[in-house]
Amino acid sequence: MHPQRTTRFTGLDAVLLLVLACAAGWLAWRVTTVLGYDWDWSFLGRTILRRSEDGSLAPGLLLKGFVATLRLAAWTMLLALAAGVAAGLCRVSRSLFLRLCARTYVETMRNTPPLVLVFLFYFFVGDWIMTALGAQELAYGLSEAWQERLAWIMAPPGRLAAFLSALTTLALYEGAYIAEIVRSGVQSIEHGQWEAAYALGLSRWQRMTCVILPQALRRMIPPLAGQFISTIKDSSIVAVISIPELTFEGLELMAATYRTFEIWLTVLGLYLLACLACSLAARRLETRLARRAA
């Protein structure tokens, strides 16, 4: 049994919070006095929730961008997990060809600027592959109800090619890092576990799926959680190809209102909210798995 951990609020915590509050206050004072900035937070409520023409509440631009960011991050992590697990298992394969292919993919993605990848896949996937497959025409050929579902699940038909380009870029980029997490998690399992599974007459695939991966998963959860948080933050880069996620909507609002600090502090808070929620969820999952293992 692991000892019960208790969380205490110490004097050092109070000092650190006081220092952070003083730093935030000093920064706000400098912006107001030195730059002569006139703070105005009154309009921000409409960027989260606004009144539609019929009087009902509707999501504002920042809330729409926040939802689009979460949707893009969720799709990215789903595809990145598939690509990362496949590449990670190839990295520990007995086949030299599979190891070389996986290493080429990992090293290429990890050593290429993501902004370059975004533009490359935007012109390659969006302009060539989507046109060759006729995906845009297929999306426009759907009924109005299915177009609304497509817009909620992925993107409206007019932005589908750009969304798929951004999704492909982020999934391959994040998948390269997940591949290394999977490789290191598998290789961290003691060799005696392999030998014990071999002694039971299990095949290599059965040893991997039934013995090694369940143990490695507990060790991979913290870095995987960090990678998912990184995915949420990295999704902001696709604003350069006009994907209406949180950063893009922040840029649009800033250009329309000139309220620089209020908008970007709100955007920062929304990103922080999403990342903290993922961090807490991963911590709870890690604790639950540790209790089961005990």
Side-chain angles (χ1 to χ4, degrees):
M1 294 292 292
H2 295 283
Q4 186 69 28
R5 294 182 179 178
T6 58
T7 302
R8 296 185 304 164
F9 187 80
T10 64
L12 179 60
D13 296 325
V15 171
L16 290 176
L17 288 176
L18 181 61
V19 170
L20 290 175
C22 291
W26 176 82
L27 181 61
W29 174 79
R30 291 283 295 179
V31 170
T32 304
T33 57
V34 177
L35 298 181
Y37 191 79
D38 184 20
W39 295 88
D40 181 16
W41 297 89
S42 60
F43 74 99
L44 279 175
R46 299 190 299 273
T47 67
I48 305 298
L49 286 175
R50 60 178 179 84
R51 289 283 181 183
S52 59
E53 295 180 356
D54 59 359
S56 61
L57 288 176
L61 286 179
L62 286 185
L63 184 57
K64 287 181 179 178
F66 183 61
V67 173
T69 293
L70 295 181
R71 180 167 55 236
L72 178 60
W75 276 109
T76 297
M77 201 59 187
L78 184 64
L79 296 181
L81 271 175
V85 169
L89 294 180
C90 288
R91 291 274 280 150
V92 296
S93 172
R94 291 177 175 176
S95 171
L96 176 62
F97 175 74
L98 292 179
R99 293 201 306 271
L100 288 176
C101 289
R103 183 167 184 176
T104 301
Y105 158 64
V106 169
E107 296 300 332
T108 301
M109 291 294 110
R110 292 203 307 168
N111 294 288
T112 305
L115 184 60
V116 175
L117 292 175
V118 167
F119 285 119
L120 177 65
F121 280 97
Y122 177 67
F123 292 112
F124 180 71
V125 176
D127 284 355
W128 185 51
I129 295 182
M130 291 296 106
T131 302
L133 294 177
Q136 202 81 12
E137 292 76 10
L138 181 62
Y140 277 116
L142 297 174
S143 64
E144 185 176 348
W146 277 104
Q147 287 188 19
E148 291 179 358
R149 293 188 183 99
L150 180 64
W152 174 250
I153 296 173
M154 286 190 173
R159 293 175 176 167
L160 184 60
F163 179 86
L164 292 177
S165 301
L167 177 60
T168 304
T169 305
L170 291 175
L172 291 177
Y173 183 73
E174 304 296 337
Y177 290 91
I178 293 176
E180 288 299 280
I181 294 174
V182 173
R183 178 195 59 78
S184 60
V186 170
Q187 291 181 341
S188 70
I189 302 301
E190 295 76 9
H191 189 66
Q193 296 293 320
W194 287 94
E195 294 177 343
Y198 178 77
L200 292 174
L202 300 179
S203 65
R204 181 174 175 81
W205 177 251
Q206 290 174 326
R207 279 175 269 163
M208 178 66 74
T209 56
C210 300
V211 179
I212 303 303
L213 280 181
Q215 298 181 70
L217 179 62
R218 289 195 294 269
R219 304 181 184 184
M220 290 189 289
I221 285 177
L224 283 177
Q227 198 60 44
F228 187 69
I229 292 172
S230 179
T231 301
I232 296 176
K233 295 183 292 184
D234 290 344
S235 66
S236 62
I237 200 172
V238 301
V240 297
I241 56 173
S242 301
I243 300 296
E245 44 76 57
L246 185 55
T247 299
F248 180 82
E249 298 293 7
L251 288 169
E252 292 288 296
L253 278 172
M254 188 189 66
T257 63
Y258 299 102
R259 298 281 93 193
T260 305
F261 289 101
E262 294 92 334
I263 290 172
W264 288 119
L265 286 174
T266 305
V267 170
L268 182 148
L270 290 173
Y271 275 116
L272 184 62
L273 176 65
C275 294
L276 282 178
C278 292
S279 178
L280 291 175
R283 185 177 301 176
R284 289 178 64 89
L285 178 60
E286 186 180 359
T287 303
R288 180 174 298 181
L289 290 177
R291 288 175 179 173
R292 289 182 179 179

